[in-house]
């Protein structure tokens, strides 16, 4: 498979290594300064860039009839536009705040726990995410996905980085050293606490998941999620 890497930073480099190990070829390494030359020869584009570059990366790929796997976070306000363009071009698109198998299992557990906890208003939910100090966005895309998973399965209706009102989920975003990504969902009552926690030990899981999603999407048309790739529906 021929892969265009849109973003060649910390993630792009790990994805390149894993893709080469799995027998794929890299036809473009797009950073801030070079062009999209080579994009139209790719079977799939993998975008791990920066919030302000994601929309250009994704739309240029759809315009070149190249399916897109996007892991970039912090650009979600444009997600519906990208879905519309993908449908117009009869393209294929997977965007996920987190491609690791472990986090996608964690997402399922989070939704299951939220359904149970919705019956017990003596507990209040909060979330914490910890990432490296180079991270541009806060809260993390994964924390936003976790908050949405609770909101869709409970009476909570919003998340906030500030002090939370009764039906809001407080997210604490911490930036420490080179932490790859730690997320904790806590239900706290006067008598006890229940915690669900995922700790990434490195970036390998995110990168492998993105390459598996890229292998999966080639030849398909439509809007997909990691639930489709991992058969979690
Ligand atoms: N979904 C998931 O599983 C995961 C998502 N992420 C997300 O992926 C993104 C990238 O993370 P990470 O690799 O750590 O970040 P880095 O800052 O290490 O890399 C970002 C890269 O994007 C490049 N870039 C800047 N402008 C453009 C542009 N116009 N077109 C293409 N590339 C551009 C930068 O280029 P230059 O080097 O020239 O500045 C850099 O190489 C972040 O949004 C992060 O939150 C991260 C891990 C997992
Ligand atoms: O920027 C990162 O590093 C990460 N970003 C993603 C996010 O915002 O959730 C995924 C992972 O936690 C690492």
């Amino acid at each position: 498979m021929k892969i265009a890497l849109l973003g060649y930073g910390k993630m792009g480099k790990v994805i390149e290594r894993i893709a080469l190990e799995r027998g794929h070829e890299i036809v473009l390494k797009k950073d801030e300064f070079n062009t999209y030359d080579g994009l139209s020869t790719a079977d799939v584009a993998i975008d791990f860039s920066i919030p302000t570059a994601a929309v250009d990366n994704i739309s240029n790929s759809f315009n070149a009839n190249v399916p897109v796997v996007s892991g970039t976070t912090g650009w979600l306000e444009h997600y519906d536009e990208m879905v519309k363009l993908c449908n117009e071009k009869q393209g294929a698109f997977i965007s996920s705040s987190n491609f690791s198998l472990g986090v996608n299992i964690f997402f399922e557990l989070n939704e299951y726990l939220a359904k149970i906890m919705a019956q017990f208003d003596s507990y209040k939910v909060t979330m914490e995410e910890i990432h490296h100090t180079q991270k541009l966005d806060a809260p993390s895309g994964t924390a936003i996905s976790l908050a949405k998973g609770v909101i869709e399965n409970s009476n909570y209706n919003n998340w906030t980085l500030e002090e939370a009102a009764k039906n809001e989920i407080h997210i604490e975003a911490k930036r420490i050293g080179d932490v790859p990504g730690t997320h904790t969902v806590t239900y706290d009552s006067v008598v006890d606490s229940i915690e669900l926690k995922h700790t990434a030990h490195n970036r390998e899981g995110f990168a492998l998941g993105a390459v598996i999603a890229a292998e999966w999407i080639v030849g398909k048309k439509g809007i997909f999620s990691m639930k489709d790739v991992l058969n979690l529906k």
Side-chain angles (χ1 to χ4, degrees):
M1 193 167 80
K2 293 183 178 177
I3 300 176
L5 292 177
L6 306 181
Y8 190 58
K10 291 181 284 300
M11 281 301 298
K13 292 183 175 86
V14 184
I15 290 169
E16 176 184 38
R17 180 172 47 72
I18 290 175
L20 293 174
E21 282 165 9
R22 291 170 75 91
H24 304 304
E25 184 189 344
I26 308 298
V27 293
L28 170 62
K29 297 173 194 175
K30 173 85 179 80
D31 60 18
E32 187 181 352
F33 302 108
N34 61 350
T35 68
Y36 287 98
D37 272 5
L39 177 59
S40 60
T41 68
D43 298 309
V44 63
I46 304 183
D47 163 62
F48 278 76
S49 57
I50 58 171
T52 50
V55 167
D56 275 354
N57 287 342
I58 296 165
S59 46
N60 279 315
S61 302
F62 290 145
N63 287 328
N65 293 316
V66 177
V68 179
V69 170
S70 175
T72 307
T73 53
W75 62 277
L76 263 190
E77 67 274 24
H78 300 290
Y79 178 74
D80 291 346
E81 285 165 51
M82 293 301 98
V83 166
K84 187 166 172 273
L85 181 63
C86 177
N87 287 331
E88 278 166 17
K89 298 284 174 184
Q90 297 188 307
F93 188 30
I94 296 181
S95 158
S96 176
S97 61
N98 203 305
F99 280 95
S100 81
L101 174 62
V103 163
N104 281 278
I105 294 168
F106 184 58
F107 284 155
E108 298 295 307
L109 295 173
N110 174 56
E111 289 176 24
Y112 180 66
L113 184 58
K115 273 182 211 158
I116 296 173
M117 298 310 287
Q119 306 165 62
F120 303 107
D121 62 8
S122 51
Y123 288 87
K124 171 89 179 154
V125 71
T126 57
M127 297 184 181
E128 180 189 80
E129 56 100 336
I130 311 174
H131 284 86
H132 53 94
T133 51
Q134 291 168 12
K135 186 161 177 60
L136 296 179
D137 52 319
S140 66
T142 304
I144 294 173
S145 300
L146 288 165
K148 285 183 177 165
V150 171
I151 289 166
E152 281 162 16
N153 291 287
S154 70
N155 294 322
Y156 289 94
N157 54 25
N158 197 16
W159 59 263
T160 178
L161 288 165
E162 312 301 326
E163 194 179 331
K166 187 170 187 306
N167 287 329
E168 287 185 329
I169 302 164
H170 173 69
I171 304 178
E172 187 77 27
K174 296 184 176 168
R175 298 292 170 260
I176 302 173
D178 59 1
V179 174
T182 301
H183 292 87
T184 310
V185 178
T186 303
Y187 288 85
D188 206 23
S189 80
V190 174
V191 294
D192 59 10
S193 301
I194 301 169
E195 277 188 13
L196 209 54
K197 180 174 182 179
H198 178 273
T199 306
H201 300 313
N202 50 51
R203 293 185 170 81
E204 303 279 313
F206 312 137
L208 176 61
V211 175
I212 289 172
E215 290 167 350
W216 183 90
I217 205 171
V218 170
K220 296 190 172 66
K221 291 194 185 311
I223 310 298
F224 303 102
S225 72
M226 279 305 275
K227 280 184 194 271
D228 300 305
V229 177
L230 298 171
N231 231 347
L232 290 171
K233 281 192 171 168

